[in-house]
Amino acid sequence: MTQTSFHRQTPKGQKIQRRPVHGVLLLDKPLGLSSNQALQKAKWLLRADKAGHTGTLDPLATGVLPLCFGAATKFSQIQLDADKTYEALLLLGQKTTTADAEGDVIETRPVPQITPELLQTITQRFTGPLAQIPPMYSALKKDGKALYEYARKGIEVEREARHILIYELNMALAHDARAPAAIKIIVRCSKGTYIRTLGEDIGEALGCGAHLGSLRRLETGGFVATQCVTLPALEAMTEAEREACLLPAQSLVAAYPSVTLDADNAGRFLSGLRRRGEPGQWGADAPLVQVYGSEPAAFLGSAHITADELIPQRLLSPIEIQDILQSAQRAVEVLASLSMAAPVSAGSFQH
């Protein structure tokens, strides 16, 4: 479904009433939609007034795309900086303008015999720290314009190599009717890695050229594909069910230590004031911690700890905290009502 088609579902002249929505939706981005199109679709379904995604996936790519709503957008940079895992299919023997199957073929070469020993050599060569030149068909900016805008006009501009890290690379022979030979790769890598460029570079190392036939993000920052919801599934849900799919904003910082404050310290912390603690009160020095209040129990934001000082970084507003607490209360009430109704519903099917 394209972005245009889902907008047609709204009657002409009827404006969607936006509302505050807070949390993280783990979306399995479908083939053919840009990350922004997928975001706008989910935002429309939730009637959310503020949203953002956590790193672009090409229209060709599918898989894990965390979408942040409301207060969660304040912590999206953590996901942007996170390590990621991809599965890709390399089609050997042809290079394309875009380094993937959407581009035009610009070169065809014979494919050598691909042996396990050759794959092992290539795997070792492309594992570890690498310098990678970003592709022209990318959203990186040059003089205020995306590189793909230059590429579409046939203009190639100089790009600086970026330092990336391939933590793990697995390669195996595969079969695909679109090419004389293919390789499936699974890559765990640092942020900023272009899998299209990696695939093209592997093709050059093999001496035959290559381009991506498919790409799927399996994991990002600890979120995996099995946790994700698809757009068709989201469309079929009620609004309450869609909201129930949201993870809390603090799920973006769940891997970090936590600090809980009493009412007085919580109020001052939310005002942006540093909190001086007794030695070890907040824990060891840390570049990031998640901070909670105890009265009421609520996520307040993130901070860092230096020399027994808790120093605010990204804070929720009192209105956001109130919205989240009210939303949690509504969810409890909905669950309670469903629980009470269950015996009646079951009985209605008895004869």
Side-chain angles (χ1 to χ4, degrees), residues 23-28 38 42-43 46 54 65-69 72 227-231 234 242-247 251:
V24 181
L25 180 71
L26 300 181
L27 183 71
D28 190 336
K43 182 180 178 183
L46 283 161
T54 56
L65 182 65
L67 304 179
C68 297
F69 296 89
Q227 294 176 276
C228 295
V229 62
T230 65
L231 279 177
L234 206 63
R242 291 168 190 158
E243 200 166 346
C245 290
L246 295 174
L247 299 176
S251 62

Side-chain angles (χ1 to χ4, degrees), residues 31 57-63 86-92 99-102 174-176 178-179 182-187 195-196 199 210-218:
L31 185 70
L57 271 178
D58 293 338
L60 173 74
T62 65
Y86 296 92
E87 180 181 276
L89 185 69
L90 304 187
L91 304 180
L92 305 183
D100 61 29
E102 295 187 325
H175 299 281
D176 191 283
R178 294 171 291 177
I183 296 173
K184 184 177 84 169
I185 66 172
I186 297 178
V187 189
I195 305 301
R196 281 182 294 143
H211 65 275
L212 286 195
S214 63
L215 178 62
R216 181 165 177 78
R217 187 190 282 168
L218 302 178

